Amino acid sequence: MQCVRIVGGRPLGGSVEIGGSKNAALPILAASILTDERVLLHSVPRLDDVHLMLSILKKLGGDVTLEGNSATVRMGCVSAVPDFSAVCRMRASICLLGPLVARCGEAVLPLPGGCAIGPRPIDLHLKGLQKLGCEVIQSKEGVRLRAKRLNGARIFLAGKNGGTVTGTANMLCAAAIARGTTEIHFAACEPEVVDLCKFLTGMGAKIYGIGSPILTVDGVDSLRGAEHRLIADRIQAGTFALLAPMLRGDMAIKRAPISHCAALLDVLERIGVPFSADGDCLHIFGGKCDRLAAIDVSAMAYPGFPTDLQAALCALATQCCGESAIGERIYENRFGHLVGLRSMGAGITLAGSTARVVGPTKLAAAELSVADLRGGACLCMAALAASGESIVDSVHHMDRGYEQFEEKLRSIGADIMRFER
Ligand code: EPZ
């Protein structure tokens, strides 16, 4: 098992550069299936999930290369059945459903299991694709979709927890080459969905209302190849922005997608963290944070505070004066990181879907176990703030979503070393 040893408790600071967005890369790579022409993507983050998606595309019959942070994909011929062993390892493989059934007339996918943050159903994906004309056959192994021709439809894409990001991506890909017009109501508005819309438009898709919760797609007969630069990763940028005040250090976060971070900046302001924006560089003056104020916020769909930063905010809240209330409205079970924070001495109770964090607490180093990607970042942040040597296990979770995480932390002075246990 891959672990990291972190010796924390020292002020850290410096500059980090943010890479391309994982959650833009994955649906856009899947959307490359929609054309037999060459697709060239830049700012592709070198992450385990991206390598996995590229290998899935290769096994589907594609020519795939990744050089530096540029990927070339040409899906000249495409099988409708991806490598199940690879697909089962990544929830985001669900993004293959729409492109595959649109390109091949059918798609077969194993049911993406639940994970540490909740059951992760796909009922909305299947409902929308059925509306577009797919026959859906579900079994315990997975789901098979068939469609002689996709036809435009009006789709309402919301469930009990609101909209769906990858569900919106699947609808966009299928509707792009369906016959007629599709309206997607309650579409996700995340920047990663907007980036997918821009990529599809570059391929010749006709999409209107981009960035709004009502998208209209006029289907076209075929899509061409395209060249596209992915947006920067707002979750990576937000993780470092929340880390800086914990470490009482000044941080320059370069290539930050500041326009996608309004909710994060609002939280920093309310906590009392001084910052400034200089072009695409976000300066966090963690060294000037003498008193951090408790915060009351809930994670919700964009443009709200992102659920993928909820765990990182819990880590910072341990250093805020008073009782912070951090709610989670997207996932049923996304507080796994509280166990580790409590083991370090944090005063946290969970009331329904709200974590109540009393601070400030001088965190103690501990042996920490990671259950999911964003929980892992939270525990690494806490270990950097705690005096002494902590061990964080299962860091393979981090490799899925944080490009060069250790290198970036070392570049701001962190004492962090990976080892096998
Ligand atoms: C995307 O996941 C992101 N992943 C997640 O990031 C992110 O947390 C999430 O959107 C935010 O909404 C990628 O983009 C690859 P959802 P996604 O479908 O699309 C329920 C990370 O850490 N739902 O928006 O899978 C679902 O249970 C990851 O980078 C249904 O009920 O999330 C959840 O409660 C984690 N039925 C809510 O909607 C469905 O058919 C939002 O899920 C689909 C979803």
Side-chain angles (χ1 to χ4, degrees):
M1 179 196 297
Q2 293 274 311
C3 307
V4 286
R5 177 178 292 106
I6 292 175
V7 179
R10 292 179 295 117
L12 298 178
S15 72
V16 292
E17 181 159 316
I18 300 303
S21 163
K22 166 180 86 79
N23 290 347
L26 296 174
I28 286 173
L29 282 167
S32 304
I33 290 170
L34 292 167
T35 179
D36 60 3
E37 296 181 9
R38 186 185 80 140
V39 164
L40 177 55
L41 299 176
H42 301 293
S43 299
V44 176
R46 299 185 73 92
L47 297 166
D48 287 2
D49 276 8
V50 169
H51 295 306
L52 188 58
M53 181 62 85
L54 289 169
S55 74
I56 290 170
L57 294 177
K58 200 165 198 164
K59 287 181 182 167
L60 280 169
D63 290 328
V64 172
T65 60
L66 177 62
E67 285 165 24
N69 292 105
S70 292
T72 304
V73 178
R74 181 194 290 273
M75 300 303 287
C77 55
V78 184
S79 153
V81 185
D83 170 22
F84 271 33
S85 61
V87 165
C88 286
R89 286 167 49 199
M90 181 171 65
R91 149 89 192 175
S93 305
I94 194 67
C95 295
L96 293 161
L97 215 44
L100 278 176
V101 73
R103 172 77 188 266
C104 307
E106 69 171 327
V108 184
L109 225 60
L111 288 177
C115 58
I117 62 177
R120 313 299 295 273
I122 61 168
D123 58 308
L124 297 174
H125 296 249
L126 300 180
K127 168 188 165 186
L129 290 168
Q130 268 179 316
K131 283 272 190 171
L132 290 166
C134 289
E135 178 198 356
V136 174
I137 303 139
Q138 284 204 69
S139 67
K140 58 183 185 311
E141 285 76 40
V143 63
R144 173 186 293 274
L145 271 62
R146 269 201 287 262
K148 287 188 183 57
R149 187 79 167 93
L150 293 173
N151 296 300
R154 182 188 320 107
I155 300 166
F156 183 72
L157 208 57
K160 63 180 172 50
N161 293 344
T164 162
V165 171
T166 48
T168 303
N170 268 326
M171 299 311 116
L172 283 162
C173 289
I177 53 175
R179 183 173 26 216
T181 297
T182 296
E183 290 177 6
I184 306 168
H185 293 258
F186 218 105
C189 302
E190 272 68 4
E192 296 77 25
V193 172
V194 172
D195 208 29
L196 172 64
C197 289
K198 289 178 178 170
F199 172 65
L200 290 169
T201 303
M203 294 170 82
K206 297 192 181 323
I207 304 171
Y208 311 98
I210 294 176
S212 85
I214 299 177
L215 296 172
T216 302
V217 185
D218 286 341
V220 294
D221 291 336
S222 64
L223 294 175
R224 57 181 180 265
E227 183 169 4
H228 181 78
R229 181 173 295 280
L230 298 172
I231 55 173
D233 193 312
R234 63 192 169 104
I235 305 304
Q236 243 194 69
T239 303
F240 282 102
L242 293 167
L243 174 63
M246 285 188 79
L247 305 179
R248 297 286 187 270
D250 293 351
M251 192 121 31
I253 304 170
K254 298 176 181 170
R255 286 199 58 232
I258 296 169
S259 63
H260 300 157
C261 298
L264 165 77
L265 299 181
D266 175 65
V267 160
L268 290 175
E269 249 169 41
R270 288 157 61 195
I271 289 177
V273 180
F275 62 85
S276 70
D278 170 16
D280 66 355
C281 185
L282 178 62
H283 293 277
I284 309 287
F285 303 108
K288 296 183 178 61
C289 299
D290 40 20
R291 186 183 182 284
L292 299 173
I295 184 81
D296 186 341
V297 69
S298 282
M300 56 184 83
Y302 191 85
F305 187 80
T307 172
D308 294 346
L309 285 178
Q310 179 260 102
L313 183 57
C314 285
L316 175 56
T318 65
Q319 304 308 303
C320 296
C321 301
E323 180 178 278
S324 293
I326 300 168
E328 171 60 59
R329 294 201 196 148
I330 302 289
Y331 289 107
E332 293 81 355
N333 176 29
R334 199 172 199 175
F335 285 108
H337 47 280
L338 300 187
V339 173
L341 291 177
R342 286 191 188 112
S343 73
M344 300 175 84
I348 305 181
T349 54
L350 187 56
S353 59
T354 299
R356 295 197 170 279
V357 186
V358 177
T361 302
K362 190 159 178 46
L363 296 173
E367 293 252 345
L368 302 162
S369 196
V370 170
D372 68 276
L373 163 58
R374 307 302 176 182
C378 161
L379 296 180
C380 286
M381 292 167 68
L384 287 164
S387 299
E389 179 179 290
S390 298
I391 304 291
V392 182
D393 72 13
S394 312
V395 287
H396 61 277
H397 287 292
M398 313 289 295
D399 298 335
R400 291 185 43 221
Y402 289 93
E403 194 176 19
Q404 298 180 308
F405 196 55
E406 290 135 79
E407 291 80 353
K408 287 179 178 163
L409 289 176
R410 266 200 285 276
S411 75
I412 60 170
D415 180 348
I416 179 170
M417 191 56 68
R418 185 180 290 235
F419 66 97
E420 183 73 27
R421 180 159 68 182

